[in-house]
Amino acid sequence: MVKTVTIALDAMGGDNGPAVCVPAAQEMAKRHSELQLVLVGQVEQITAYLSGSSSRIDVLDAREIVTMDEPPADALRKKKNSSLRVAIDQVKNGAADACISSGNTGALMATARFVLKTLPGIDRPAIMGAVPTIHGHAYMLDLGANTDCTSEHLFQFAVMGSVVAAEVENIDEPRIGLLNIGEEDIKGNDTVRQAAAMLSESNLNYVGFIEGNDIASQKADVVICDGFSGNVALKSIEGTAHLIRHFMKKEFGSSLYGRFAGLVSLPVLRSLAKSVDPRRYNGASLVGLNGIVIKSHGSADTVAFEQAIETALIEVEKGVPEKIHQLLVQQEH
C-alpha cells in the first residue's frame, strides 16, 4: 500500500496567492495518488479558484496574511494566525509531512526556525536550491538566509547539501565544492580556508575551491557558500538566462531572414528555453530544520509551484531531515 504524503500549502503567499497555488495543487493531486494537500488561507478566496472537489484536497482557514515586505519579527510576533504560520504549524503538530510557501522569505525562515527548531548539531538553517549546469543541475547553499557565516556553518551546509544531493539525485558520493575567488589554497578569506581544512579532514567528497564560472560546468554537485555570495550568484545566473532569451528574441525578430531562421530552429530553441527555464528549478529547501519546508519563488506561476510541490514530495519520501541528522552524527565520530 502506498503511503500517503500530506503537504500544507500557504495559499495566500507570494505575488499570485490562490490564483497559482490552487490550480497547482489540483494538478499535482491528479498526478500523484499518494498526495494529500491542505490549502491554508482565507477560505472564500481559496474556494473561488477550486474547480470541482477532491477528497485529497482540504482547505484550512487562516485569516491573516504576511505581506512580502513585512519585517520577519513582526510576522513572527503579531501574526500567529497567518497562512504562513498555520502551514508551518501543520508540520509541527504532525498533521503535514511538509509545507510550502511563496511568501516572505525572511518571515518564512524566522517562523519555521522558531516553530520547528533546528536539527541537533545544526546552528543555522540554510536555503538550498538547484541551479542549471551543462550536465543538468547542481545544488547551492546558502542562497540568502545567512549573510555572515563561520567555517563551522559552511561545514554544516556541506553536510546538509551532501545528503540532499545523495538522496534526491541518487549520487553515491556528491562532490562538494567551496565557492571562492580562486582555486589555489591561498585564495579567499580565513573563514573559507578554515572551512576547506575541515572538509578535507571529513568523510565528505570534498573537491576543493571552485570559482563562479565552475558552477555551470558542474565541477561540484554541491556548491557551498555564505548567503550573501550565494544569493548574488543565483541572481546572476537567473539574469544571464533572461539576457540570453532577450537577445535571441531580438535577433530572430530583427529581419525576415532572422524570422525564417528562427522558424527553422524552433525545436532547438524550445529545447534550449526549457533547459534554462527557472520554473524547472523552483522550490528551495530550508535545510537544517526539524521538518521539511520549501520556499517557492514569490512570482511563481502554476508550473513553477507544481515543481515546488514535487520537491517537497521527494524530500518527504527520502526522509531528508533524518538523513542529515545521521550524517552529522557520523562526522562527529
Side-chain angles (χ1 to χ4, degrees):
M1 183 177 178
V2 178
K3 178 185 176 182
T4 298
V5 175
T6 302
I7 301 176
L9 308 178
D10 170 14
M12 312 307 293
D15 299 334
N16 303 306
V20 160
C21 178
V22 175
Q26 291 185 301
E27 176 59 30
M28 291 300 288
K30 292 177 184 176
R31 291 186 207 170
H32 297 279
S33 60
E34 77 277 23
L35 193 56
Q36 185 81 31
L37 295 164
V38 181
L39 304 175
V40 183
Q42 297 177 358
V43 173
E44 64 277 9
Q45 290 200 44
I46 294 173
T47 53
Y49 290 95
L50 278 171
S51 56
S53 60
S54 171
S55 60
R56 292 188 289 110
I57 296 179
D58 299 317
V59 180
L60 181 61
D61 193 44
R63 305 312 301 173
E64 297 175 322
I65 299 173
V66 175
T67 62
M68 296 300 279
D69 60 351
E70 192 159 351
D74 289 351
L76 181 60
R77 292 197 308 265
K78 300 176 182 179
K79 292 190 173 178
K80 296 182 179 180
N81 192 41
S82 69
S83 55
L84 183 151
R85 173 66 177 267
V86 174
I88 294 172
D89 284 341
Q90 298 306 294
V91 179
K92 173 66 175 178
N93 62 32
D97 300 296
C99 72
I100 303 171
S101 175
S102 294
N104 184 317
T105 303
L108 181 66
M109 177 61 85
T111 304
R113 185 174 182 180
F114 175 79
V115 174
L116 299 175
K117 312 305 180 189
T118 57
L119 289 166
I122 296 295
D123 296 324
R124 297 182 183 180
I127 300 174
M128 176 177 179
V131 295
T133 70
I134 59 174
H135 299 298
H137 59 264
Y139 286 97
M140 184 183 297
L141 72 162
D142 182 28
L143 295 179
N146 307 283
T147 55
D148 295 309
C149 297
T150 66
S151 56
E152 180 63 32
H153 295 148
L154 295 176
F155 178 80
Q156 292 173 10
F157 296 168
V159 172
M160 295 188 290
S162 182
V163 168
V164 175
E167 295 300 322
V168 175
E169 304 298 330
N170 296 313
I171 303 173
D172 289 335
E173 294 185 339
R175 296 166 299 162
I176 308 296
L178 266 178
L179 189 62
N180 199 359
I181 58 173
E183 296 183 354
E184 299 85 359
D185 292 340
I186 62 171
K187 292 292 181 71
N189 57 33
D190 289 341
T191 299
V192 172
R193 291 199 299 269
Q194 289 168 8
M198 295 173 67
L199 287 167
S200 296
E201 296 174 359
S202 72
N203 296 324
L204 300 175
N205 185 16
Y206 175 59
V207 296
F209 293 140
I210 64 170
E211 298 181 76
N213 57 313
D214 295 326
I215 298 172
S217 61
Q218 201 168 337
K219 286 190 176 180
D221 301 303
V222 181
V223 180
I224 304 302
C225 54
D226 61 68
F228 184 92
S229 303
N231 193 268
V232 171
L234 176 65
K235 297 298 171 60
S236 297
I237 292 169
E238 292 175 348
T240 301
H242 286 300
L243 185 67
I244 292 171
R245 284 198 295 268
H246 167 77
F247 281 122
M248 290 183 69
K249 286 181 179 179
K250 181 180 178 181
E251 293 302 320
F252 282 123
S254 61
S255 66
L256 181 61
Y257 176 78
R259 287 192 290 273
F260 176 73
L263 184 63
V264 173
S265 306
L266 195 57
V268 175
L269 294 175
R270 284 176 174 168
S271 178
L272 174 62
K274 184 178 180 181
S275 297
V276 297
D277 187 349
R279 298 180 302 176
R280 295 182 61 213
Y281 306 99
N282 186 51
S285 306
L286 273 58
V287 290
L289 295 169
N290 191 25
I292 296 172
V293 179
I294 303 297
K295 172 65 174 73
S296 170
H297 201 289
S299 60
D301 63 7
T302 302
V303 173
F305 202 91
E306 289 169 7
Q307 181 59 43
I309 296 174
E310 194 75 51
T311 298
L313 183 60
I314 293 171
E315 290 202 11
V316 171
E317 292 175 341
K318 297 289 187 175
V320 167
E322 178 58 30
K323 297 287 177 57
I324 290 174
H325 175 60
Q326 292 173 2
L327 185 55
L328 277 169
V329 172
Q330 292 176 15
Q331 296 304 315
E332 290 173 358
H333 294 85

